[in-house]
Amino acid sequence: MTWLANESIFEYLLVGIARNRFDKSLNERLSLLALLGNYYKPFEKSLVEQLWRILGMRAIDDRHREQFFLFVRDCLIKGNNEPLFTEEAVNFVYFGILLKLHARWFSLKIYDCFEMFFLRFNQDCKLLGYLNSSTTNYQLLDPQLIGLNKFWYIYLTGEDSKVVKRCKDFLTRLLSKYECEQKVFLVMKQEYVSLILEHINNNLEAVKSKEVTGEERTRRLQLLARCLEMLIRVIEELEGKRLSGDKPPPEEITIHIENAMKDKMPPRTLPMKVDVNLTLKQLKELVGKSINPPKKGTQLKLMTRGAFLRG
């Protein structure tokens, strides 16, 4: 059974929602609409368009706009097994609304809806993979994620500090925590760094200009501050990142010492496990204590492959 066959129910609920946007019955009517979606599904694009006109485009305040996004988010969650939206309706919410929404309209509730749609949409497009056994749950399969630029737009120009922080956390988590192959990681890293440096250069030139003053100068300085903050965050997060298939770096290696001192005593050759992070001075001290007879590190010169170690 489709919505077309139940036009009276469809019209009744939409008219009720339009007339009662400002009282407590709004939540009840939206809940009923979502409940009926389990029986008369999937929701067509026309339903979503009319709801958006009522709750989004004609919104008096953020609360009504948020009600729309809470509705579509809940329908997306409940539709894990069978979608409560047609593909056309999903595309309309993602491309027609979320990706066109001004940054100042993003509250935490609307941001949550956007992030959920982003992950689900890119999974459906096979650009992200879902990993049940992974602590991060997701794997980057392709660096060309659909809608990624929107996170940068919100982060750089958003007015809600909590939303801006959520964007920053998501962007860094996407690059540093999600599993991915080396080639995907390298492309993503290059795009991140290039985008940040481009914004830094553009806004730095603008700030230097005497023509940029007042609120515009303040806005440019804010952009610079956010770019530098993100650059530092990316560098910190990427330090020590492991890629899919990488083996953890060894903490110790085995080296073979050949004692060439004039007063050497057996054993002439001995294996030794050393920490890979040792300095040359520390290595000399360790070798000096191990050879026979023992020597001070300052008395030793270490050679490998015909060349003296220096540092």
Side-chain angles (χ1 to χ4, degrees), residues 32-80:
L32 178 59
L33 187 62
L35 179 63
L36 289 174
N38 291 317
Y39 301 96
Y40 310 114
K41 53 188 177 184
F43 290 132
E44 300 288 343
K45 176 188 174 185
S46 59
L47 168 70
V48 180
E49 284 180 317
Q50 291 190 59
L51 276 178
W52 176 241
R53 281 197 295 270
I54 295 169
L55 298 176
M57 297 174 68
R58 299 174 188 171
I60 302 299
D61 55 37
D62 291 340
R63 182 174 64 88
H64 298 106
R65 196 175 293 115
E66 287 178 346
Q67 288 289 347
F68 170 82
F69 289 104
L70 287 174
F71 170 77
V72 295
R73 187 201 66 179
D74 290 345
C75 288
L76 194 67
I77 294 173
K78 294 173 183 176
N80 277 331

Short mmCIF file of all heavy atoms in Angstrom, two decimals, residues 32-80:
data_model
loop_
_atom_site.label_atom_id
_atom_site.label_comp_id
_atom_site.label_asym_id
_atom_site.label_seq_id
_atom_site.Cartn_x
_atom_site.Cartn_y
_atom_site.Cartn_z
N LEU A 32 3.22 10.02 14.82
CA LEU A 32 2.22 9.20 14.14
C LEU A 32 2.59 9.00 12.68
O LEU A 32 2.44 7.90 12.13
CB LEU A 32 0.84 9.86 14.26
CG LEU A 32 -0.32 9.15 13.54
CD1 LEU A 32 -0.47 7.72 14.08
CD2 LEU A 32 -1.61 9.93 13.71
N LEU A 33 3.08 10.05 12.07
CA LEU A 33 3.50 9.95 10.67
C LEU A 33 4.62 8.93 10.51
O LEU A 33 4.61 8.11 9.59
CB LEU A 33 3.95 11.32 10.16
CG LEU A 33 4.26 11.44 8.66
CD1 LEU A 33 3.03 11.16 7.83
CD2 LEU A 33 4.80 12.84 8.34
N ALA A 34 5.61 8.97 11.43
CA ALA A 34 6.72 8.01 11.38
C ALA A 34 6.22 6.60 11.64
O ALA A 34 6.68 5.64 11.01
CB ALA A 34 7.77 8.40 12.41
N LEU A 35 5.25 6.46 12.56
CA LEU A 35 4.70 5.14 12.87
C LEU A 35 3.98 4.55 11.66
O LEU A 35 4.14 3.37 11.32
CB LEU A 35 3.74 5.25 14.05
CG LEU A 35 3.07 3.95 14.49
CD1 LEU A 35 4.11 2.94 14.98
CD2 LEU A 35 2.04 4.22 15.59
N LEU A 36 3.19 5.38 10.99
CA LEU A 36 2.47 4.92 9.81
C LEU A 36 3.44 4.55 8.68
O LEU A 36 3.10 3.75 7.81
CB LEU A 36 1.50 5.99 9.33
CG LEU A 36 0.28 6.23 10.22
CD1 LEU A 36 -0.53 7.41 9.70
CD2 LEU A 36 -0.58 4.98 10.29
N GLY A 37 4.65 5.14 8.74
CA GLY A 37 5.65 4.81 7.74
C GLY A 37 6.05 3.35 7.77
O GLY A 37 6.55 2.80 6.78
N ASN A 38 5.82 2.70 8.92
CA ASN A 38 6.13 1.27 9.02
C ASN A 38 5.12 0.42 8.25
O ASN A 38 5.36 -0.76 7.99
CB ASN A 38 6.15 0.83 10.48
CG ASN A 38 7.33 1.41 11.23
OD1 ASN A 38 8.43 1.44 10.70
ND2 ASN A 38 7.10 1.90 12.43
N TYR A 39 3.96 1.01 7.92
CA TYR A 39 2.91 0.26 7.23
C TYR A 39 2.69 0.77 5.81
O TYR A 39 2.43 -0.01 4.90
CB TYR A 39 1.60 0.36 8.02
CG TYR A 39 1.73 -0.18 9.42
CD1 TYR A 39 1.97 0.66 10.49
CD2 TYR A 39 1.63 -1.55 9.66
CE1 TYR A 39 2.10 0.17 11.78
CE2 TYR A 39 1.76 -2.06 10.94
CZ TYR A 39 1.99 -1.20 12.01
OH TYR A 39 2.14 -1.69 13.28
N TYR A 40 2.77 2.10 5.63
CA TYR A 40 2.60 2.70 4.31
C TYR A 40 3.94 3.29 3.89
O TYR A 40 4.21 4.45 4.14
CB TYR A 40 1.54 3.79 4.35
CG TYR A 40 0.26 3.36 5.01
CD1 TYR A 40 -0.14 3.93 6.21
CD2 TYR A 40 -0.53 2.38 4.43
CE1 TYR A 40 -1.32 3.53 6.82
CE2 TYR A 40 -1.71 1.98 5.04
CZ TYR A 40 -2.10 2.56 6.24
OH TYR A 40 -3.26 2.17 6.84
N LYS A 41 4.81 2.48 3.34
CA LYS A 41 6.16 2.93 3.05
C LYS A 41 6.54 2.52 1.65
O LYS A 41 5.92 1.64 1.06
CB LYS A 41 7.15 2.37 4.06
CG LYS A 41 7.10 0.84 4.23
CD LYS A 41 7.96 0.39 5.37
CE LYS A 41 7.86 -1.10 5.58
NZ LYS A 41 8.61 -1.56 6.73
N PRO A 42 7.57 3.08 1.12
CA PRO A 42 8.42 4.12 1.70
C PRO A 42 7.83 5.51 1.48
O PRO A 42 6.97 5.69 0.62
CB PRO A 42 9.73 3.96 0.95
CG PRO A 42 9.32 3.45 -0.39
CD PRO A 42 8.12 2.58 -0.17
N PHE A 43 8.31 6.49 2.24
CA PHE A 43 7.87 7.87 2.07
C PHE A 43 8.36 8.39 0.73
O PHE A 43 9.54 8.24 0.39
CB PHE A 43 8.41 8.76 3.19
CG PHE A 43 7.79 8.48 4.54
CD1 PHE A 43 8.58 8.33 5.65
CD2 PHE A 43 6.42 8.40 4.67
CE1 PHE A 43 8.02 8.08 6.89
CE2 PHE A 43 5.84 8.15 5.90
CZ PHE A 43 6.64 7.98 7.02
N GLU A 44 7.47 9.03 0.01
CA GLU A 44 7.84 9.60 -1.29
C GLU A 44 8.50 10.97 -1.11
O GLU A 44 8.38 11.61 -0.06
CB GLU A 44 6.59 9.75 -2.16
CG GLU A 44 5.85 8.46 -2.45
CD GLU A 44 6.59 7.57 -3.43
OE1 GLU A 44 7.50 8.09 -4.11
OE2 GLU A 44 6.25 6.37 -3.52
N LYS A 45 9.17 11.40 -2.15
CA LYS A 45 9.82 12.72 -2.13
C LYS A 45 8.80 13.84 -1.87
O LYS A 45 9.09 14.81 -1.18
CB LYS A 45 10.53 12.96 -3.46
CG LYS A 45 11.16 14.34 -3.58
CD LYS A 45 11.68 14.59 -4.99
CE LYS A 45 12.18 16.02 -5.15
NZ LYS A 45 12.58 16.32 -6.54
N SER A 46 7.58 13.68 -2.41
CA SER A 46 6.55 14.71 -2.26
C SER A 46 6.21 14.96 -0.80
O SER A 46 5.99 16.11 -0.39
CB SER A 46 5.29 14.33 -3.04
OG SER A 46 4.78 13.08 -2.57
N LEU A 47 6.17 13.90 0.01
CA LEU A 47 5.90 14.05 1.43
C LEU A 47 7.01 14.86 2.11
O LEU A 47 6.76 15.78 2.88
CB LEU A 47 5.78 12.69 2.10
CG LEU A 47 5.77 12.71 3.63
CD1 LEU A 47 4.49 13.33 4.15
CD2 LEU A 47 5.98 11.33 4.22
N VAL A 48 8.26 14.50 1.80
CA VAL A 48 9.41 15.17 2.41
C VAL A 48 9.44 16.64 1.99
O VAL A 48 9.73 17.53 2.80
CB VAL A 48 10.73 14.46 2.01
CG1 VAL A 48 11.92 15.16 2.65
CG2 VAL A 48 10.69 13.00 2.42
N GLU A 49 9.12 16.91 0.73
CA GLU A 49 9.11 18.29 0.25
C GLU A 49 8.07 19.13 0.99
O GLU A 49 8.34 20.26 1.41
CB GLU A 49 8.80 18.32 -1.25
CG GLU A 49 9.97 17.92 -2.13
CD GLU A 49 9.62 17.97 -3.59
OE1 GLU A 49 8.52 17.52 -3.96
OE2 GLU A 49 10.43 18.47 -4.38
N GLN A 50 6.88 18.57 1.19
CA GLN A 50 5.83 19.32 1.88
C GLN A 50 6.17 19.54 3.34
O GLN A 50 5.94 20.62 3.88
CB GLN A 50 4.50 18.58 1.75
CG GLN A 50 3.96 18.60 0.32
CD GLN A 50 2.55 18.09 0.24
OE1 GLN A 50 1.65 18.63 0.87
NE2 GLN A 50 2.35 17.04 -0.55
N LEU A 51 6.75 18.53 3.99
CA LEU A 51 7.18 18.70 5.38
C LEU A 51 8.26 19.77 5.49
O LEU A 51 8.28 20.56 6.44
CB LEU A 51 7.71 17.37 5.93
CG LEU A 51 6.69 16.39 6.48
CD1 LEU A 51 7.38 15.11 6.93
CD2 LEU A 51 5.90 17.00 7.62
N TRP A 52 9.18 19.79 4.53
CA TRP A 52 10.26 20.79 4.56
C TRP A 52 9.70 22.20 4.36
O TRP A 52 10.14 23.15 5.00
CB TRP A 52 11.29 20.47 3.49
CG TRP A 52 12.38 21.50 3.37
CD1 TRP A 52 12.69 22.25 2.27
CD2 TRP A 52 13.29 21.91 4.39
NE1 TRP A 52 13.72 23.10 2.53
CE2 TRP A 52 14.12 22.91 3.84
CE3 TRP A 52 13.49 21.54 5.70
CZ2 TRP A 52 15.14 23.54 4.55
CZ3 TRP A 52 14.49 22.17 6.43
CH2 TRP A 52 15.30 23.15 5.87
N ARG A 53 8.71 22.33 3.48
CA ARG A 53 8.10 23.65 3.29
C ARG A 53 7.42 24.11 4.58
O ARG A 53 7.49 25.29 4.94
CB ARG A 53 7.09 23.60 2.14
CG ARG A 53 7.71 23.67 0.76
CD ARG A 53 6.69 24.03 -0.30
NE ARG A 53 5.67 22.99 -0.44
CZ ARG A 53 5.78 21.97 -1.28
NH1 ARG A 53 6.86 21.85 -2.04
NH2 ARG A 53 4.81 21.08 -1.37
N ILE A 54 6.77 23.19 5.28
CA ILE A 54 6.02 23.54 6.49
C ILE A 54 6.96 23.83 7.66
O ILE A 54 6.83 24.85 8.34
CB ILE A 54 5.05 22.40 6.87
CG1 ILE A 54 3.97 22.23 5.81
CG2 ILE A 54 4.41 22.67 8.24
CD1 ILE A 54 3.14 20.97 5.97
N LEU A 55 7.92 22.92 7.88
CA LEU A 55 8.76 23.01 9.09
C LEU A 55 10.11 23.68 8.85
O LEU A 55 10.73 24.15 9.81
CB LEU A 55 9.00 21.61 9.66
CG LEU A 55 7.75 20.84 10.11
CD1 LEU A 55 8.12 19.44 10.56
CD2 LEU A 55 7.04 21.59 11.22
N GLY A 56 10.56 23.70 7.60
CA GLY A 56 11.87 24.27 7.31
C GLY A 56 11.81 25.65 6.72
O GLY A 56 12.26 26.63 7.32
N MET A 57 11.22 25.75 5.55
CA MET A 57 11.21 27.02 4.84
C MET A 57 10.33 28.06 5.52
O MET A 57 10.57 29.25 5.42
CB MET A 57 10.76 26.79 3.39
CG MET A 57 11.72 25.89 2.61
SD MET A 57 11.12 25.48 0.96
CE MET A 57 11.20 27.09 0.17
N ARG A 58 9.27 27.61 6.21
CA ARG A 58 8.38 28.54 6.89
C ARG A 58 8.63 28.57 8.40
O ARG A 58 7.79 29.02 9.16
CB ARG A 58 6.92 28.15 6.64
CG ARG A 58 6.53 28.17 5.17
CD ARG A 58 5.13 27.62 4.97
NE ARG A 58 4.81 27.47 3.55
CZ ARG A 58 3.71 26.84 3.11
NH1 ARG A 58 2.85 26.32 3.96
NH2 ARG A 58 3.49 26.74 1.82
N ALA A 59 9.79 28.09 8.80
CA ALA A 59 10.10 28.02 10.23
C ALA A 59 10.20 29.41 10.84
O ALA A 59 10.80 30.31 10.26
CB ALA A 59 11.41 27.28 10.44
N ILE A 60 9.58 29.55 12.02
CA ILE A 60 9.67 30.80 12.76
C ILE A 60 10.96 30.85 13.57
O ILE A 60 11.60 31.88 13.72
CB ILE A 60 8.46 30.97 13.69
CG1 ILE A 60 7.17 30.93 12.88
CG2 ILE A 60 8.55 32.28 14.48
CD1 ILE A 60 7.06 32.01 11.83
N ASP A 61 11.36 29.70 14.09
CA ASP A 61 12.60 29.63 14.84
C ASP A 61 13.27 28.28 14.58
O ASP A 61 12.73 27.42 13.87
CB ASP A 61 12.37 29.85 16.35
CG ASP A 61 11.35 28.88 16.91
OD1 ASP A 61 11.33 27.71 16.48
OD2 ASP A 61 10.58 29.27 17.81
N ASP A 62 14.44 28.07 15.19
CA ASP A 62 15.22 26.86 14.94
C ASP A 62 14.51 25.61 15.41
O ASP A 62 14.74 24.52 14.87
CB ASP A 62 16.58 26.96 15.64
CG ASP A 62 17.48 28.01 15.01
OD1 ASP A 62 17.21 28.37 13.84
OD2 ASP A 62 18.42 28.46 15.67
N ARG A 63 13.63 25.73 16.39
CA ARG A 63 12.98 24.54 16.95
C ARG A 63 12.16 23.80 15.90
O ARG A 63 12.19 22.58 15.83
CB ARG A 63 12.08 24.95 18.12
CG ARG A 63 11.38 23.78 18.81
CD ARG A 63 10.63 24.27 20.04
NE ARG A 63 9.56 25.18 19.69
CZ ARG A 63 8.33 24.79 19.38
NH1 ARG A 63 8.02 23.49 19.36
NH2 ARG A 63 7.39 25.68 19.09
N HIS A 64 11.44 24.55 15.07
CA HIS A 64 10.60 23.90 14.05
C HIS A 64 11.45 23.26 12.95
O HIS A 64 11.14 22.20 12.44
CB HIS A 64 9.63 24.92 13.45
CG HIS A 64 8.68 25.49 14.45
ND1 HIS A 64 8.80 26.76 14.94
CD2 HIS A 64 7.63 24.93 15.09
CE1 HIS A 64 7.84 26.98 15.82
NE2 HIS A 64 7.11 25.88 15.94
N ARG A 65 12.54 23.94 12.61
CA ARG A 65 13.44 23.37 11.61
C ARG A 65 14.06 22.09 12.14
O ARG A 65 14.22 21.10 11.41
CB ARG A 65 14.52 24.40 11.26
CG ARG A 65 15.29 24.09 9.98
CD ARG A 65 16.24 25.21 9.64
NE ARG A 65 15.53 26.43 9.28
CZ ARG A 65 15.56 27.55 9.98
NH1 ARG A 65 16.28 27.63 11.08
NH2 ARG A 65 14.89 28.61 9.59
N GLU A 66 14.43 22.08 13.41
CA GLU A 66 15.01 20.90 14.02
C GLU A 66 14.03 19.73 14.03
O GLU A 66 14.43 18.57 13.90
CB GLU A 66 15.47 21.20 15.45
CG GLU A 66 16.73 22.04 15.53
CD GLU A 66 17.13 22.37 16.96
OE1 GLU A 66 16.29 22.16 17.87
OE2 GLU A 66 18.26 22.83 17.17
N GLN A 67 12.74 20.03 14.18
CA GLN A 67 11.73 18.96 14.19
C GLN A 67 11.75 18.19 12.87
O GLN A 67 11.60 16.96 12.86
CB GLN A 67 10.34 19.56 14.42
CG GLN A 67 10.09 20.05 15.82
CD GLN A 67 9.98 18.92 16.82
OE1 GLN A 67 9.85 17.75 16.44
NE2 GLN A 67 10.03 19.25 18.09
N PHE A 68 11.94 18.89 11.78
CA PHE A 68 12.01 18.21 10.48
C PHE A 68 13.18 17.25 10.44
O PHE A 68 13.05 16.09 10.03
CB PHE A 68 12.13 19.24 9.36
CG PHE A 68 12.44 18.62 8.02
CD1 PHE A 68 11.43 18.08 7.24
CD2 PHE A 68 13.75 18.56 7.54
CE1 PHE A 68 11.71 17.51 6.01
CE2 PHE A 68 14.04 17.99 6.32
CZ PHE A 68 13.02 17.46 5.55
N PHE A 69 14.36 17.72 10.87
CA PHE A 69 15.56 16.88 10.79
C PHE A 69 15.52 15.73 11.80
O PHE A 69 16.07 14.66 11.53
CB PHE A 69 16.81 17.74 10.98
CG PHE A 69 17.07 18.65 9.80
CD1 PHE A 69 16.78 20.00 9.88
CD2 PHE A 69 17.57 18.14 8.62
CE1 PHE A 69 17.01 20.84 8.80
CE2 PHE A 69 17.80 18.96 7.53
CZ PHE A 69 17.51 20.32 7.61
N LEU A 70 14.89 15.95 12.94
CA LEU A 70 14.71 14.85 13.89
C LEU A 70 13.81 13.77 13.28
O LEU A 70 14.05 12.58 13.46
CB LEU A 70 14.10 15.37 15.19
CG LEU A 70 15.03 16.19 16.10
CD1 LEU A 70 14.25 16.77 17.27
CD2 LEU A 70 16.19 15.33 16.61
N PHE A 71 12.81 14.21 12.56
CA PHE A 71 11.89 13.27 11.91
C PHE A 71 12.61 12.42 10.86
O PHE A 71 12.53 11.18 10.87
CB PHE A 71 10.73 14.03 11.26
CG PHE A 71 9.86 13.17 10.38
CD1 PHE A 71 8.93 12.31 10.93
CD2 PHE A 71 9.98 13.23 8.99
CE1 PHE A 71 8.13 11.51 10.11
CE2 PHE A 71 9.20 12.44 8.18
CZ PHE A 71 8.26 11.57 8.74
N VAL A 72 13.35 13.06 9.94
CA VAL A 72 14.02 12.30 8.88
C VAL A 72 15.15 11.45 9.46
O VAL A 72 15.42 10.34 8.98
CB VAL A 72 14.54 13.22 7.76
CG1 VAL A 72 13.39 13.90 7.06
CG2 VAL A 72 15.52 14.25 8.28
N ARG A 73 15.82 11.94 10.52
CA ARG A 73 16.87 11.14 11.15
C ARG A 73 16.30 9.89 11.79
O ARG A 73 16.83 8.79 11.62
CB ARG A 73 17.59 11.97 12.21
CG ARG A 73 18.83 11.29 12.81
CD ARG A 73 19.19 11.88 14.14
NE ARG A 73 18.15 11.62 15.13
CZ ARG A 73 18.22 12.00 16.40
NH1 ARG A 73 19.25 12.71 16.81
NH2 ARG A 73 17.25 11.73 17.24
N ASP A 74 15.19 10.05 12.51
CA ASP A 74 14.57 8.90 13.16
C ASP A 74 14.07 7.89 12.13
O ASP A 74 14.18 6.68 12.34
CB ASP A 74 13.40 9.35 14.04
CG ASP A 74 13.87 10.11 15.27
OD1 ASP A 74 15.08 10.03 15.58
OD2 ASP A 74 13.04 10.78 15.91
N CYS A 75 13.54 8.39 11.02
CA CYS A 75 13.09 7.48 9.96
C CYS A 75 14.27 6.73 9.35
O CYS A 75 14.16 5.56 8.98
CB CYS A 75 12.34 8.25 8.89
SG CYS A 75 10.70 8.81 9.39
N LEU A 76 15.41 7.40 9.25
CA LEU A 76 16.60 6.76 8.70
C LEU A 76 17.09 5.66 9.64
O LEU A 76 17.50 4.58 9.20
CB LEU A 76 17.71 7.79 8.48
CG LEU A 76 18.89 7.35 7.60
CD1 LEU A 76 18.43 7.16 6.16
CD2 LEU A 76 20.01 8.38 7.65
N ILE A 77 17.05 5.92 10.94
CA ILE A 77 17.47 4.92 11.93
C ILE A 77 16.53 3.72 11.92
O ILE A 77 16.97 2.57 11.92
CB ILE A 77 17.51 5.55 13.34
CG1 ILE A 77 18.59 6.61 13.42
CG2 ILE A 77 17.75 4.46 14.40
CD1 ILE A 77 18.60 7.39 14.72
N LYS A 78 15.22 3.99 11.89
CA LYS A 78 14.23 2.91 11.94
C LYS A 78 14.20 2.11 10.65
O LYS A 78 13.71 0.98 10.63
CB LYS A 78 12.85 3.49 12.21
CG LYS A 78 12.72 4.11 13.60
CD LYS A 78 11.38 4.81 13.75
CE LYS A 78 11.28 5.48 15.12
NZ LYS A 78 10.03 6.25 15.27
N GLY A 79 14.73 2.67 9.59
CA GLY A 79 14.69 2.00 8.30
C GLY A 79 15.94 1.22 7.97
O GLY A 79 16.32 1.13 6.80
N ASN A 80 16.62 0.66 8.99
CA ASN A 80 17.85 -0.09 8.74
C ASN A 80 17.59 -1.31 7.85
O ASN A 80 18.37 -1.63 6.96
CB ASN A 80 18.48 -0.54 10.05
CG ASN A 80 19.32 0.56 10.68
OD1 ASN A 80 19.86 1.40 9.98
ND2 ASN A 80 19.39 0.59 11.99
#
